Amino acid sequence: MQNKTDLFPDRLADLAAQAKALSHPARLAILQTLAQRGTCICGEVVDVLPLAQATVSQHLRTLRDAGLVRGEIEGPSTCYCLDDDALRTLADDFGAFVNTLTPDIPNGIEPDCC
Amino acid sequence: MQNKTDLFPDRLADLAAQAKALSHPARLAILQTLAQRGTCICGEVVDVLPLAQATVSQHLRTLRDAGLVRGEIEGPSTCYCLDDDALRTLADDFGAFVNTLTPDIPNGIEPDCC
DNA sequence: ATCGTGTATCGTCGTTATACGATAAGCTTT
DNA sequence: AAAGCTTATCGTATAACGACGATACACGAT
């Protein structure tokens, strides 16, 4: 299979890549876990999820590669934080994208034909 | 591989499933194409994308299964419309999710440790 | 230096996604 | 009935994903 991803505009490719980072419940659960602590988590992420350590580490790497999470080696364990700015940007981008799809209807009439 | 998706809360599984529907640039491009017309498209979707007809049909099915697009057989061709409500709901859900992750900081101080 | 703890990476396996050609199915028109 | 057009589906091949055990790595404590 050839990868046709690069045949599309960068904006769409970037959005799709970010959506892919959020496309697994384990990764959403990781984000929630990080958020619930208020601060970074240096460990314990594995204990919360019903997955093996190697799998959680993979998901964390995916989130880090997507820029949604920052990780730094912090002594014996590794410290993971949410990247609040990236998350907000992502939410904004998605909101903006959907808005371009469904602009506020001026006169309240849906032009749908179906 | 055992599918561990159902080991997570429904809310997260649903959000992840919707994100997955948006996780390919071709599908985002299809949504844009549908939106640009203002009305539904009964054909021509294939012509806009750099993909084979079978591939586009598959992506359309994915979007339909995710509830983001409605399709009805319209004479010789098939008519596809955006489901504006579903799209808005999706955007709201994502916004809400991100907000629970990054609540508005009351005193403007980031509690990050990294 | 050794042990223990916690994380990352490697290798692997099964599943799912992506992409396409070929074909079928449905409707229009001839 | 046959031809033509459009879309869906089937079959298939390759790539990517998800999951895990095993192992390597880094560091603190002993």
Side-chain angles (χ1 to χ4, degrees):
Chain A
M1 173 185 63
Q2 314 94 301
N3 195 354
K4 301 258 173 171
T5 279
D6 49 349
L7 295 183
F8 296 92
D10 284 350
R11 175 175 145 75
L12 294 186
D14 292 348
L15 259 184
Q18 289 193 294
K20 182 177 279 187
L22 299 179
S23 69
H24 196 288
R27 290 195 283 271
L28 299 181
I30 289 174
L31 294 178
Q32 276 194 325
T33 303
L34 289 175
Q36 278 165 9
R37 305 306 167 103
T39 60
C40 307
I41 291 193
C42 311
E44 309 143 64
V45 191
V46 180
D47 308 326
V48 183
L49 300 181
L51 298 173
Q53 182 265 327
T55 308
V56 175
S57 188
Q58 264 189 345
H59 283 306
L60 276 167
R61 175 175 244 286
T62 302
L63 288 170
R64 216 189 42 186
D65 290 347
L68 301 179
V69 149
R70 292 196 305 273
E72 297 178 9
I73 298 172
E74 186 85 10
S77 59
T78 304
C79 175
Y80 278 107
C81 305
L82 291 183
D83 190 324
D84 289 343
D85 289 341
L87 282 168
R88 270 190 276 262
T89 301
L90 180 150
D92 290 347
D93 288 350
F94 265 100
F97 178 77
V98 172
N99 276 339
T100 65
L101 295 181
T102 68
D104 299 313
I105 304 102
N107 34 25
I109 299 177
E110 293 277 346
D112 288 352
C113 67
C114 308
Chain B
M1 170 187 66
Q2 312 95 300
N3 195 353
K4 302 260 172 172
T5 280
D6 49 349
L7 295 183
F8 295 93
D10 283 350
R11 175 174 146 75
L12 294 186
D14 292 348
L15 259 184
Q18 290 194 293
K20 182 177 281 188
L22 299 179
S23 70
H24 196 287
R27 290 196 283 274
L28 299 182
I30 289 176
L31 294 178
Q32 275 193 328
T33 303
L34 289 176
Q36 279 165 8
R37 305 306 167 102
T39 61
C40 307
I41 290 192
C42 312
E44 310 143 63
V45 191
V46 180
D47 308 326
V48 184
L49 300 181
L51 297 173
Q53 182 267 327
T55 308
V56 175
S57 187
Q58 264 189 345
H59 283 308
L60 276 167
R61 175 176 244 285
T62 301
L63 288 170
R64 218 189 42 186
D65 290 348
L68 301 180
V69 149
R70 293 194 305 273
E72 296 179 7
I73 298 173
E74 187 87 8
S77 60
T78 304
C79 175
Y80 280 107
C81 305
L82 291 183
D83 190 324
D84 289 343
D85 290 341
L87 282 167
R88 270 190 277 263
T89 301
L90 181 150
D92 290 348
D93 287 351
F94 265 99
F97 177 77
V98 172
N99 276 338
T100 65
L101 295 181
T102 68
D104 300 312
I105 306 103
N107 34 26
I109 300 177
E110 293 277 343
D112 288 350
C113 69
C114 307

